[in-house]
Amino acid sequence: MAVLICISSLAFLIFMAYRGFSVILFAPIAALLAVALTDPSLVPVTYGGVFMDRMAGFLKLYFPIFLLGAVFGKVIEISGFSRAIVSAVIGLAGRERAIFSLAVVCAILVYGGVTVFVVVFAVYPFAAETFRQSAIPKRLIPATITLGAFCFATDALPGSPQIQNLIPTTFFGTTAWAAPVLGVLGAALILGGGLTYLEWRRRRAMANGEGYGTGHLNEPELVETERLPSAWVAAIPLLAVVALNVIFTEVIPAIYGPKITATLPGLKAPIEIAVSSVTGVWAAQFALAVGILLACALAFPAIKRKFADATKVAVGGSLLASVNTASEYGFGAVIATLPGFMVIAASTSAITSPLLQEALSIITLSGITGSASGGLSIALGAFSTQFMEAARLADIPPAVLHRIASMASGGMDTLPHNGTIITLLAVTGLTHRQAYGDIFAITLIKTAAVFIVIAFYALTGIY
């Protein structure tokens, strides 16, 4: 019964999210219903002492990343830089390689610090035009964007400034560049496997005489042909974010040492921060802040007219995304305190491999919550100490735990109730029935890559 209560609570949250209801509203409701069925007297205590505590803690650590990432993405968009990069890549690769071009463009933007929501809106008009001219079915656009924007560039490639690659740094004391060999291997497997699958689907469609299709919804107008910024100039802020992320990762510990102790006149006790727990997050924050300033400096005339309205949209989007994820984190924290969750946790502890145990736990929770960052935060919040101890006994470096955790979060999170997938389908004017099958195939490729990377490490010890 205890396990059934946990599963029912999770199923309820998935159902409400799938039906389009706010996770911010229904995550605490689902969590407290589970508590009420276990011990009604603990409902107010659990809400204030667990749900809100963990939710606030998540926002304290990660909201600046959501905010700066959204503002950076919006500045890159209104400056015309994102369109310039898209046009340059498509022109270089050729429209006959539309699937490859779109995946690479998405990956460049995501790895450069642009949030996935912004990427969807930025590349869709170009994707639609390119797929139409290449006679590729429109239903393959969402899967191609999923491959480029949601998979390898967010969490597999070392140094990614996306939140999925930064959350493990606060639990394992690592940096965004953890386990670079495993990350590059995972990215190559995902990209290669995804492109192979999508090209196979394209060839089958051509053999069946299927083209782009007609009667689609949300078809964009023809792409405007006004003069775009130089692609080389447009790439400067993105390259700066990547480079500065590396530099700040090394500079922050060198400046502050292992621990920061600061005394302020208005505080009764000094502030104490372990530098290893914030290096990855701070490095990404500083890099994104400089990237925003660079973009503004390079495209000031274009940005100044739209900056106020654009940043309002970005701030609103970052608030919604961060509070959604924080609510899921609070939900998971409550579920993790229940007897049924202890039974589930005990079943995963039977797995002898620390990396397999970690991967399966995160994949499961990311799929249940429909959120990579939410599932990752919940799993590491509940089990990171256990993972670290098991890894220590097996002589596995924290960097390997980081990379496997990050990659595992971005697999089954793209199930049908995932908010980003719902947004992607809405933007492209397609339905789950039309496009989700191919998205799920990419999801399976990404998930399989995690276990191949684990096997590679187990056989070679290289990370």
Side-chain angles (χ1 to χ4, degrees):
M1 181 58 71
V3 173
L4 184 60
I5 288 172
C6 288
I7 294 174
S8 299
S9 177
L10 295 171
F12 172 71
L13 181 58
I14 290 173
F15 175 76
M16 299 309 292
Y18 186 79
R19 294 299 299 271
F21 291 94
S22 171
V23 171
I24 299 172
L25 175 62
F26 280 95
I29 291 174
L32 296 179
L33 282 174
V35 176
L37 292 172
T38 303
D39 185 346
S41 67
L42 295 178
V43 169
V45 176
T46 306
Y47 179 72
V50 180
F51 183 89
M52 290 304 300
D53 183 68
R54 294 299 180 88
M55 181 177 176
F58 182 91
L59 291 171
K60 174 185 174 182
L61 276 174
Y62 303 117
F63 174 68
I65 293 293
F66 282 92
L67 176 62
L68 291 170
V71 172
F72 178 69
K74 206 64 182 174
V75 168
I76 292 295
E77 178 188 343
I78 64 176
S79 64
F81 287 173
S82 62
R83 295 187 59 210
I85 292 169
V86 170
S87 297
V89 172
I90 291 175
L92 185 64
R95 293 186 182 275
E96 66 277 8
R97 299 184 181 88
I99 291 175
F100 171 79
S101 300
L102 180 58
V104 169
V105 164
C106 291
I108 290 172
L109 293 174
V110 166
Y111 192 69
V114 180
T115 59
V116 293
F117 284 99
V118 173
V119 171
V120 170
F121 287 98
V123 304
Y124 171 56
F126 293 87
E129 181 184 359
T130 306
F131 274 50
R132 185 188 302 111
Q133 292 185 10
S134 303
I136 301 173
K138 182 182 180 181
R139 58 184 172 81
L140 294 180
I141 290 178
T144 307
I145 293 176
T146 298
L147 173 63
F150 305 162
C151 290
F152 67 97
T154 55
D155 51 43
L157 283 179
S160 171
Q162 299 296 330
I163 193 71
Q164 296 92 324
N165 191 42
L166 298 177
I167 289 174
T169 65
T170 61
F171 290 94
F172 299 134
T174 51
T175 72
W177 300 88
V181 174
L182 297 182
V184 171
L185 172 63
L189 289 170
I190 297 162
L191 180 60
L195 288 175
T196 300
Y197 169 81
L198 291 171
E199 285 295 331
W200 170 70
R201 293 287 285 162
R202 180 188 66 82
R203 289 194 300 270
R204 283 195 61 185
M206 290 186 66
N208 294 332
E210 180 184 359
Y212 180 78
T214 58
H216 294 302
L217 300 176
N218 290 6
E219 280 294 279
E221 298 179 4
L222 292 178
V223 178
E224 299 174 7
T225 57
E226 78 270 11
R227 190 170 181 271
L228 294 174
S230 164
W232 293 108
V233 174
I236 291 174
L238 280 73
L239 294 174
V241 169
V242 176
L244 290 171
N245 197 2
V246 179
I247 295 169
F248 286 129
T249 297
E250 298 297 326
V251 169
I252 290 171
I255 293 175
Y256 290 106
K259 186 177 181 181
I260 300 173
T261 302
T263 303
L264 298 174
L267 296 178
K268 294 181 180 180
I271 301 171
E272 294 186 353
I273 300 174
V275 174
S276 62
S277 68
V278 296
T279 297
V281 176
W282 284 7
Q285 289 177 22
F286 296 154
L288 286 169
V290 175
I292 292 168
L293 294 175
L294 266 176
C296 290
L298 291 169
F300 183 74
I303 290 174
K304 68 177 181 178
R305 299 190 305 271
K306 304 176 182 178
F307 186 80
D309 291 335
T311 50
K312 288 177 184 177
V313 173
V315 170
S318 67
L319 281 168
L320 182 61
S322 60
V323 177
N324 265 325
T325 306
S327 292
E328 291 172 345
Y329 186 42
F331 167 82
V334 172
I335 297 298
T337 65
L338 300 180
F341 189 82
M342 296 299 103
V343 176
I344 297 172
S347 67
T348 62
S349 65
I351 302 171
T352 55
S353 168
L355 297 180
L356 283 176
Q357 183 184 13
E358 178 188 50
L360 288 171
S361 299
I362 293 171
I363 287 170
T364 301
L365 286 169
S366 295
I368 287 170
T369 60
S371 167
S373 53
L376 180 61
S377 300
I378 292 166
L380 295 185
F383 302 126
S384 60
T385 302
Q386 176 181 325
F387 295 153
M388 286 284 283
E389 179 59 22
R392 185 186 65 79
L393 295 175
D395 198 28
I396 297 173
V400 178
L401 286 175
H402 172 132
R403 187 54 52 207
I404 297 304
S406 185
M407 286 186 61
S409 72
M412 287 296 168
D413 68 309
T414 49
L415 290 179
H417 61 290
N418 175 275
T420 307
I421 295 300
I422 293 171
T423 300
L424 171 61
L425 294 175
V427 169
T428 56
L430 296 167
T431 65
H432 279 80
R433 178 173 294 183
Q434 290 173 306
Y436 185 74
D438 294 308
I439 294 174
F440 185 66
I442 300 300
T443 296
L444 292 178
I445 292 170
K446 169 62 184 292
T447 304
V450 176
F451 296 103
I452 296 174
V453 168
I454 292 174
F456 173 83
Y457 174 75
L459 291 172
T460 66
I462 299 172
Y463 63 97

